[in-house]
Amino acid sequence: MSDEARAPHFVKSFERGLAVIRCFDADHPARTLSDVAHTCDLTRAAARRLLLTLADLGYVHQDGRLFRLTPRVLELGYSYLAGYTLPQIAEPHLEQLVAQVRESSSLCVLDGDDIVYVARVATRRIMTASITVGTRFPAYVTSVGRVILAHGPQERVEVLLGRVELNPLTGRTITSPDDLRAELSRVRRQGYAVVDQELEEGLMSVAAPVRDRDGEVVAAVNIAVHAGRNTEDSVRRDLLPRLRSTVAAIEADLRITSPGPAASPGSGTHRSSSSRRSPAPGA
């Protein structure tokens, strides 16, 4: 969003501070001042002030030329997770599912143009990078993202297509807007999504939507498998029924819990923009 489009209340310096925090990730746990300035499109002076402020507040540690986040940044997400009932409800069901199928399973929500992992039970690491709660990937290329997009308003899909470049993350990735629209229509009709090596070579996943007590799709659960040991037919035959049973159990628990947050971060099942990470497993 351009500066001209910002609301009068918008605090640019706060946005920059959050951008500095987000520029640290699994691939870049430590960064120099120059790294931060370049990644966040800041001057060195501005980056330095923000890093030193974060250090004073205890969110960043400086070790010579390198800066790292401290565990205190976990406080920023804890308040959300503590009041967000869906991951707490889903986790025991994911554990049971993983024990049955011996494959990893995750609960994800939509935040802007990305999906975000809010609960995960893993078995083996099948791809190039690890996934933790908070990991995010482009929604258009993940089974969970397609399920949520397919069951939401069409205008949300059109907004996403208007601002997101459909990059070919592998040779199988759907990169045509019309092809993606057709795939989302198919996902909506069948009620689930299978993505075969579009996010990363060797990764296949199947996802089904999770509805809240009002029937609105607020999340999705997936099972991620190695494509070399599975086919789309075997995934549909062997895994999809168990996935649907797990989702039904989660939805049943959602209906009987007391009212509380059961939607995506920052109401992102409907709106907002977000950052990107490079491809990794299990989406």
Side-chain angles (χ1 to χ4, degrees):
M1 184 182 295
S2 65
D3 289 343
E4 293 77 9
R6 301 293 191 190
H9 63 261
F10 194 84
V11 181
K12 186 70 175 178
S13 59
F14 186 66
E15 178 191 36
R16 290 169 175 165
L18 292 175
V20 168
I21 292 175
R22 290 198 302 269
C23 82
F24 294 90
D25 56 27
D27 297 325
H28 306 91
R31 286 189 180 272
T32 66
L33 172 60
S34 297
D35 290 338
V36 172
H38 175 74
T39 303
C40 300
D41 194 23
L42 299 169
T43 64
R44 283 177 55 86
R48 181 176 182 276
R49 288 196 301 271
L50 290 167
L51 284 167
L52 292 181
T53 298
L54 290 169
D56 288 344
L57 294 172
Y59 295 114
V60 167
H61 172 71
Q62 183 177 5
D63 182 12
R65 296 178 59 250
L66 294 177
F67 294 86
R68 301 175 185 271
L69 296 182
T70 71
R72 190 170 188 179
V73 298
L74 296 175
E75 295 176 357
L76 301 177
Y78 177 76
S79 296
Y80 165 74
L81 289 174
Y84 185 37
T85 59
L86 181 52
Q88 300 167 17
I89 290 171
E91 188 163 353
H93 296 290
L94 297 185
E95 290 173 350
Q96 185 176 18
L97 175 63
V98 169
Q100 293 171 349
V101 302
R102 300 186 183 278
E103 301 286 0
S104 298
S105 180
S106 304
L107 174 76
C108 300
V109 297
L110 188 68
D111 186 26
D113 303 329
D114 292 350
I115 56 94
V116 181
Y117 285 72
V118 294
R120 177 166 171 79
V121 178
T123 53
R124 62 184 70 85
R125 178 170 168 176
I126 61 175
M127 299 306 293
T128 60
S130 61
I131 286 179
T132 60
V133 170
T135 297
R136 56 200 305 137
F137 297 115
Y140 75 89
V141 77
T142 62
S143 59
V144 284
R146 288 182 183 173
V147 161
I148 299 173
L149 289 171
H151 289 83
Q154 182 62 33
E155 54 266 29
R156 181 170 65 190
V157 175
E158 296 306 319
V159 168
L160 181 145
L161 290 174
R163 68 189 177 196
V164 171
E165 184 176 353
L166 305 182
N167 293 312
L169 303 183
T170 75
R172 297 170 179 256
T173 305
I174 292 176
T175 57
S176 162
D178 287 341
D179 289 346
L180 183 59
R181 290 186 186 96
E183 177 63 14
L184 293 178
S185 295
R186 185 165 73 95
V187 169
R188 186 180 184 92
R189 290 194 305 271
Q190 66 190 18
Y192 65 91
V194 176
V195 171
D196 183 8
Q197 303 183 79
E198 293 190 48
L199 177 67
E200 187 166 337
E201 295 288 348
L203 170 69
M204 183 185 298
S205 64
V206 57
V210 177
R211 290 176 168 83
D212 65 12
R213 59 180 59 85
D214 297 319
E216 180 182 1
V217 172
V218 294
V221 174
N222 77 352
I223 300 174
V225 302
H226 199 291
R229 299 192 299 269
N230 299 269
T231 65
E232 287 196 33
D233 286 343
S234 69
V235 165
R236 291 188 181 95
R237 181 186 66 245
D238 301 331
L239 300 182
L240 182 58
R242 293 182 183 273
L243 175 63
R244 282 175 158 165
S245 294
T246 297
V247 166
I250 293 171
E251 291 175 341
D253 282 356
L254 275 177
R255 287 193 293 271
I256 63 175
T257 55
S258 58
S264 61
S267 59
T269 48
H270 303 286
R271 48 200 173 272
S272 92
S273 60
S274 58
S275 61
R276 282 275 314 265
R277 277 196 56 183
S278 57

